DNA sequence: ACTTAATATTGATTCAGATCAATAACCTCA
DNA sequence: TGAGGTTATTGATCTGAATCAATATTAAGT
């Protein structure tokens, strides 16, 4: 007989405003919490779900972090994103009921399990939940578009900087430091996400260190001059007058 | 006094099963049709909407084709997709109520206008419409992920082939020929979409012509050997035994 | 603490595709 | 019908990042 995990409560959850409950009334949040199940934590490199399997649940990151990826017919892998606390995984499966990507834990991590059938029922009852689902789906589309711009038109340096800036923002939103954080992913994962080689990632980090923009100690990143970093990647922020847009 | 356009009817629409009405009952389709408005056709290069403007309507392509794109702070443009009949545009705006990309007509094209406020109301009343919206959003996410794989990990030749194969499939779904079609976009647009230069697009098309895979006559494309084309881009299809996946 | 494996850095070389440059083909409309 | 502009092709050269290769560093297990 396994240990039974406690029923989760979104109302107490520190990150509920960054997650599915955002915009819901307190009694609606409680209804949502009733359908959510806790899962035992996943260990590093453990698979949460894999491509082509039936999607019975969506998952929200509760703690830790995950990596989503797809592979082509030759087995070439592309990391399509990293998931931090509050973020929903599995949205790509709403089309056919099967996951179209795979997700692994980057560190010891836990998730909230959202049974899809019951979530759908609840969306019919609670319009605000429905809207929030659509907002979340829409957000994923927008950030995927940004990633396409990055993969299609940016240099290695720009990609590296945008990656650091993205993490900085997301950690900030979670209440952590925007200038000091530990990467939960390997260089190889960053490289794969950014469409570069891991050697190029190393070189870019080294260059940025030498330029005094960041300090790197293995997985630990400290952004020394966040404004400088922003000004390299988004020149308009540094010279607003020259950029009417 | 302008000409008043006729009230559209989804029930009669040739492509309704590829569009928002898919999965709805006939009376539900009629409810949907009531909120839809026709717009006058757009001319080539005419802007349907642009980034950062308020999104009051979603748009479905009725005829013709469109190009969606985003620009970074330096004005560098990335085409994020092409829209063919039946496809919904503006889904990226559900997050903040503002479009996060711009859309222009590639040829003389028409759209159905879907007032967002009324669409939202209708989603609350009609769960099947709600599900269909989510499926469409999910589909966009999946295809964006495929595009990331393409931009991150593919050679110029693979990109070109995948692009042709994608168009072939989409035209096929619309009931057109899968092997003979006219490109509605410029080489420059294809290049931008695929993260390549327009010279590279020209060269790839020339090479594929010389190899006898396709015939190119300006915007006109004829795929001479669709299976050969598929086998180059998806080697597993040609040699199923060697690829367990 | 020591061994082994995994991960990260750094250097040397190569190459795919960008860029630069020069036609060529096509469309538009006067 | 032809002049001017746009779009596409083709060639020559360059370059950023991949690849190949070697070493360094860290983590994990006994």
């Amino acid at each position: 007989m396994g240990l039974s995990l406690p029923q989760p409560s979104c109302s107490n959850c520190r990150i509920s405003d960054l997650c599915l409950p955002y915009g819901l009334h307190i009694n609606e949040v409680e209804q949502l919490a009733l359908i959510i199940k806790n899962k035992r934590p996943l260990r590093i490199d453990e698979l949460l779900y894999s491509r082509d399997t039936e999607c019975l649940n969506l998952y929200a990151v509760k703690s830790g972090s995950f990596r989503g990826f797809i592979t082509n017919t030759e087995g070439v892998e592309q990391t399509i994103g990293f998931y931090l606390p509050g973020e929903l995984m599995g949205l790509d499966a709403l089309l056919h009921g099967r996951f179209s990507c795979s997700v692994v834990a980057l560190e010891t991590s836990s998730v909230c399990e959202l049974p899809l059938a019951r979530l759908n029922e609840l969306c019919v009852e609670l319009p605000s939940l429905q809207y929030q689902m659509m907002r979340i789906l829409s957000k994923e589309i927008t950030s995927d578009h940004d990633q396409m711009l990055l993969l299609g038109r940016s240099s290695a340096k720009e990609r590296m900087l945008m990656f650091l800036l993205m993490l900085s923002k997301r950690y900030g939103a979670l209440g952590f430091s925007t200038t000091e954080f530990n990467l939960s992913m390997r260089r190889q994962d960053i490289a794969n996400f950014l469409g570069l080689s891991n050697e190029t990632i190393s070189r870019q980090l080294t260059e940025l260190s030498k330029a005094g923009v960041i300090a790197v100690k293995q997985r630990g990143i400290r952004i020394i001059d966040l404004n400088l970093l922003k000004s390299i990647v988004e020149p308009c922020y540094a010279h607003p007058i020259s950029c009417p847009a």
Side-chain angles (χ1 to χ4, degrees), chain A residues 1-5:
Chain A
M1 184 170 96
L3 286 169
S4 75
L5 293 157

Side-chain angles (χ1 to χ4, degrees), chain A residues 164-165 167-172 175-184 213-217 219-226 229:
Chain A
L164 293 173
L165 207 50
L167 282 185
S168 166
K169 278 182 193 159
R170 284 162 78 185
Y171 283 125
F176 299 126
S177 168
T178 56
T179 54
E180 211 160 350
F181 45 83
N182 281 300
L183 302 171
S184 58
V213 182
I214 59 172
V216 183
K217 201 177 182 185
R219 302 280 184 99
I221 299 282
R222 189 162 54 84
I223 299 175
I224 294 168
D225 190 339
L226 188 56
L229 192 153

Side-chain angles (χ1 to χ4, degrees), chain A residues 155-156 159-160 190-198 200-201 204:
Chain A
S155 66
R159 295 182 199 206
M160 194 71 249
I190 301 172
N192 189 289
F193 179 58
L194 297 180
L196 299 169
S197 69
N198 47 3
T200 297
I201 299 298
Q204 291 302 328

Side-chain angles (χ1 to χ4, degrees), chain A residues 16-17 19-25 28-29 128-129 132 135:
Chain A
S16 69
D17 266 4
C19 191
L20 199 47
Y22 175 79
L24 271 62
H25 287 124
E28 295 176 324
V29 178
S128 7
L129 180 60
Q132 174 64 356
R135 274 196 299 268

